[in-house]
Amino acid sequence: MKEKILEKATDLFLNLGFKSVTMDDLANEMGISKKTIYTHFDNKTKLIEASTTHLLHCIALGIDHICALEKNPIAELYEIKKFVMLHLKDEKSSPQYQLQKYYPAVYGVMRDKQFELMEDCVLDNIKRGMEQGIYRENLNKDFVARIYFSGVTSIKDQKLFPINKFPIATLMDEYLEYHLRGIVTPKGRKILNAIINSNQE
C-alpha cells in the first residue's frame, strides 16, 4: 500500500503541484481513508520528501539505462531530455516552483541530489564527446557541467521564463541547443543539425 500511495501522490504532485494537492485529495483519489495514508507517512512533508526521492530514483534509473546504450553524446543528451520531460509531465503546474516556495528544505535536498546525479552523467558525456572529436578539446569539463546544471535549473524559474511566453518543451529544446552549440566541433555541429532537423520533421 505504501508504494501505491507514493506513486499516486507523485503523480498528483507533478500534475497539480505540491501545494495544491491535499491529503484529502489523495485519499479521495485512491478511495482510502486519510488514516491509511498517515499509517505510512507521518505528515504531508514526509510524503513530499518520499515522493521527490522516489521521482529522482526513477529518473536516475532511466538516465542510467540511456547512458548504458552508449549512443553518441549529442544524441544521448536529447534522449535524456525527452525521458525527463516525459517523467515531469511537462511541468504545467510548476511543481518545482511550488516545492521551492512552500517546502524549501525538501527543495534544497532534492536540488543537491539532482546535482550529484547530473554531474556524473554530464561529466561523462563531455569526456566522451571530447574523445570522439565532437566536443571541443579545450573545454573545462567541470565548468561546462556546472554551467549546464545551473541553466537547466534556472530555466524552470517562472519569474524569468513565464510559461505563457516560454512553453517548457520549447524552452528545454532551445536551452539544449544553446548548450551544445557552445561546445561542439564542426564534426559535432553536423550531428547536432541532423538531430534538430529530424526533430522538426
Side-chain angles (χ1 to χ4, degrees):
M1 180 50 88
K2 188 174 184 176
E3 275 302 305
K4 282 183 182 166
I5 294 170
L6 197 52
E7 294 205 354
K8 182 43 109 180
T10 304
D11 191 51
L12 287 174
F13 289 145
L14 285 177
N15 280 305
L16 304 170
F18 287 98
K19 176 84 169 84
S20 312
V21 177
T22 65
M23 295 300 241
D24 283 315
D25 294 333
L26 180 58
N28 291 339
E29 191 73 27
M30 293 189 71
I32 58 175
S33 69
K34 267 203 305 190
K35 195 176 165 192
T36 307
I37 299 172
Y38 286 121
T39 308
H40 300 284
F41 301 97
D42 294 345
N43 50 49
K44 187 178 170 185
T45 305
K46 292 283 182 209
L47 178 59
I48 287 173
E49 282 171 4
S51 177
T52 53
T53 302
H54 171 69
L55 181 63
L56 274 179
H57 178 67
C58 291
I59 289 174
L61 286 178
I63 290 175
D64 285 348
H65 175 70
I66 292 166
C67 293
L69 300 174
E70 295 189 346
K71 295 186 169 213
N72 84 64
I74 295 172
E76 180 179 276
L77 284 182
Y78 273 93
E79 281 298 311
I80 289 171
K81 178 201 65 98
K82 206 164 34 173
F83 171 77
V84 171
M85 289 292 293
L86 205 69
H87 257 73
L88 296 182
K89 320 275 187 196
D90 271 359
E91 301 201 350
K92 288 185 197 74
S93 60
S94 65
Q96 181 159 322
Y97 173 74
Q98 287 196 12
L99 193 62
Q100 189 174 1
K101 188 172 178 186
Y102 299 105
Y103 301 92
V106 180
Y107 173 78
V109 170
M110 190 188 85
R111 205 185 146 172
D112 291 347
K113 283 182 187 164
Q114 211 178 354
F115 177 68
E116 280 168 33
L117 161 71
M118 222 169 128
E119 187 183 32
D120 291 343
C121 169
V122 175
L123 276 172
D124 179 63
N125 182 280
I126 296 164
K127 203 170 85 191
R128 283 188 302 112
M130 288 164 79
E131 284 163 3
Q132 292 173 27
I134 59 177
Y135 294 163
R136 291 185 287 112
E137 59 183 29
N138 61 341
L139 294 175
N140 176 336
K141 293 190 287 291
D142 284 322
F143 170 76
V144 173
R146 282 162 190 263
I147 207 84
Y148 179 66
F149 176 77
S150 164
V152 164
T153 313
S154 296
I155 62 172
K156 289 175 183 159
D157 180 341
Q158 293 198 1
K159 285 191 182 118
L160 270 179
F161 297 99
I163 269 190
N164 58 341
K165 219 171 168 188
F166 301 96
I168 192 78
T170 313
L171 194 57
M172 291 293 275
D173 270 338
E174 287 179 355
Y175 178 66
L176 186 51
E177 183 183 343
Y178 174 82
H179 163 71
L180 284 165
R181 288 209 183 277
I183 64 173
V184 290
T185 59
K187 180 183 170 186
R189 197 175 305 120
K190 284 180 186 164
I191 297 169
L192 176 59
N193 288 338
I195 290 173
I196 290 168
N197 291 335
S198 72
N199 284 347
Q200 285 168 349
E201 282 167 12

